Each structure stands twice: as C-alpha cells, then as structure tokens.
Amino acid sequence: MQRSELIGRLRALPPGRRLITALDVPDADRALALAGLLGPSGGFVKVGLELFSAAGPAVVAGLRDLGRDVFLDLKYHDIPNTVASAARQAARMGASLCTIHAGNGRAALEAAAAALAEAPAGPGAQRPALLAVTVLTSLSAADLEEVAPGGGTLADRVARLATLAWESGCDGLVCSAADLPELRRVVGPGPLVVTPGIRLASGTADDQKRIATPRQAAEAGADFLVIGRPVTGAADPAAALAAIAAEFA
Ligand code: C5P
C-alpha cells in the first residue's frame, strides 16, 4: 500500500475512532479489562514500553481479539537492520500505528519505512503507519545542548527532525498541539499527526505542562489524539471517551 493511501484511510476514520487511549498499566489483565470498558465505539489503544515489557505480543493479540486497533508505541532507536526487523514484527502483530525516534538518522528511518512498505505476511498482519518522535517533550533546550551541542534552538531541531522523518518515508509525527501549527508550516499537510496532552476544559492537567482541549487540537490539525488518565481514571471510561469525541468532531 502506498503511503498516501495509508494516511488517507486513517484520516477517513470517524473522529470517535481517531482517539487513542493510553493503556499505561503494568500487566495484561488490567490492560484488557480497561480496553473492555471503552465500549464498542472506543477508538485505538496505545501499548507503550511498560505494558509491552510486561506482557509482550500476547497483550497486542488480546487487544486485537477485543476488536481494538493498537498503537504500538515502542519508539525504536537502533541500527537500520534492527529497527527494520522490529517494524516488521509490529506489522506481524497487526499494529495500526508504531513509533520511531527521528534522531535515529536517515538510513534507519528509511529502512523501517521500507520494511513496512513490503506486503505484511501472515494472518492478522497489516502495515502500521510509522510515526516519528522528534524531540521528547521531557527534554529542555539545555538537555539537548548537553547531548548534541550546536544544533540550534529547540524549534530548529524539531523542524529539522520532522522534515527528515517525512523525507525518509515516515507516515506521520507525534507532536503536541502547541507545536503543531509550526510543524504543519514546516512539513505541510501531508504527515499524519498524533497529539498527546489532551484535557477537556473541565479536567485536571495532572503532570502535563502544555495541554490542549480536543477542539484546540483538531483546529491545530491533529489527526489522532492520545488520551490517558482523563479516560483510564474516569468512573465511566466509555462516557469520558464519548465526551472527548464530541469535541473532536
Ligand atoms: O494521562 P495522559 O493523558 O497525560 O497520558 C498521555 C499519554 O501520552 C502517555 O502514555 C504519555 O506517555 C504519552 N505522551 C505524552 N507526551 C508526549 C508523548 C507521549 O504525554 N510528548
């Protein structure tokens, strides 16, 4: 499948399906129970490093059996051959979205994108969209200067890495709503954008510093939203998701 076709298909999903609930829990039982509470119209679920380290491909299979689309957020960072092989495994597991660090460099980004462009093999396999992480939002300009001196401002680094990822064949980017307008200016409307840090105006920020409402994120050009605690900590997760979907529409 061509990149443009994959991006088009994901963008064409109704807004309620373009919500991703982060299953930030330490075991499969809790993840599957939580996924079951999202209701039949719930969107994607995100499996990150903690859950995947604890429960591995079996939890991805369990979530797929519940009818969930999976965002496998393992943020690959390794040599080209290794990231390409890992990306193939994401396709084999039937993930719909997966992540790679743009700082991996062009060869590794191209290798992962090329691996995913090959036809996935086996039952339940599919080509996931490859999303690039530019600069982790936990890093300050001073942190970056310490590990990679002379790389320009934080905004310069984000712009450079986003451009590199898109040129190298990635399908999209992970980006906060605050940085999205500048990112769209730099890379244009092509890349799929997945945005975390989402809160309803009535909610609490938790430890997120820069938050946006679903409507603000939609207006800034987000294609998918990642939501953790506002859904997973709600008394009724399905109702919390529905409230967010209503604003994202
Ligand atoms: O609970 P909350 O909605 O803050 O969770 C957001 C999810 O998105 C978590 O899984 C977090 O790791 C992830 N994330 C984020 N900010 C980023 C990238 C990912 O909050 N810049």
Side-chain angles (χ1 to χ4, degrees):
M1 196 195 309
Q2 294 292 313
R3 173 166 85 169
S4 57
E5 186 189 346
L6 177 63
I7 293 170
R9 276 195 200 183
L10 288 164
R11 278 202 177 124
L13 294 172
R17 293 222 30 229
R18 288 186 281 110
L19 301 179
I20 306 168
T21 300
L23 300 178
D24 293 325
V25 292
D27 60 65
D29 286 350
R30 273 182 261 196
L32 295 171
L34 200 45
L37 292 176
L38 300 179
S41 60
F44 289 44
V45 290
K46 180 165 90 77
V47 175
L49 281 171
E50 180 190 15
L51 180 57
F52 196 76
S53 298
V59 77
V60 176
L63 292 165
R64 299 283 295 127
D65 287 346
L66 288 175
R68 296 287 160 204
D69 293 292
V70 175
F71 173 12
L72 189 60
D73 186 18
L74 302 181
K75 299 187 180 70
Y76 304 134
H77 199 161
D78 214 309
I79 61 170
N81 184 58
T82 301
V83 293
S85 302
R88 268 187 217 101
Q89 293 299 332
R92 212 162 68 91
M93 283 184 258
S96 298
L97 306 168
C98 63
T99 43
I100 187 165
H101 278 285
N104 235 305
R106 189 179 293 273
L109 294 166
E110 286 180 351
L116 291 178
E118 294 162 8
Q126 64 176 332
R127 173 183 172 175
L130 181 64
L131 308 172
V133 176
T134 54
V135 175
L136 290 172
T137 46
S138 54
L139 294 175
S140 66
D143 293 329
L144 289 167
E145 203 50 35
E146 189 175 30
V147 293
T153 66
L154 214 151
D156 291 341
R157 293 177 193 257
V158 169
R160 195 165 58 236
L161 288 166
T163 304
L164 173 68
W166 182 239
E167 281 178 9
S168 304
C170 291
D171 305 299
L173 300 158
V174 180
C175 166
S176 74
D179 295 337
L180 226 170
E182 172 62 10
L183 201 83
R184 283 275 184 229
R185 196 187 61 72
V186 172
V187 291
L192 207 63
V193 173
V194 174
T195 299
I198 301 299
R199 293 293 182 270
L200 287 171
S202 55
T204 57
D206 301 310
D207 56 356
Q208 295 280 14
K209 300 272 188 306
R210 294 194 298 162
I211 54 176
T213 65
R215 178 149 305 136
Q216 287 166 339
E219 285 170 2
D223 296 299
F224 281 79
L225 306 183
V226 178
I227 313 112
R229 290 158 289 181
V231 171
T232 59
D236 183 347
L241 258 185
I244 290 167
E247 259 210 31
F248 191 45

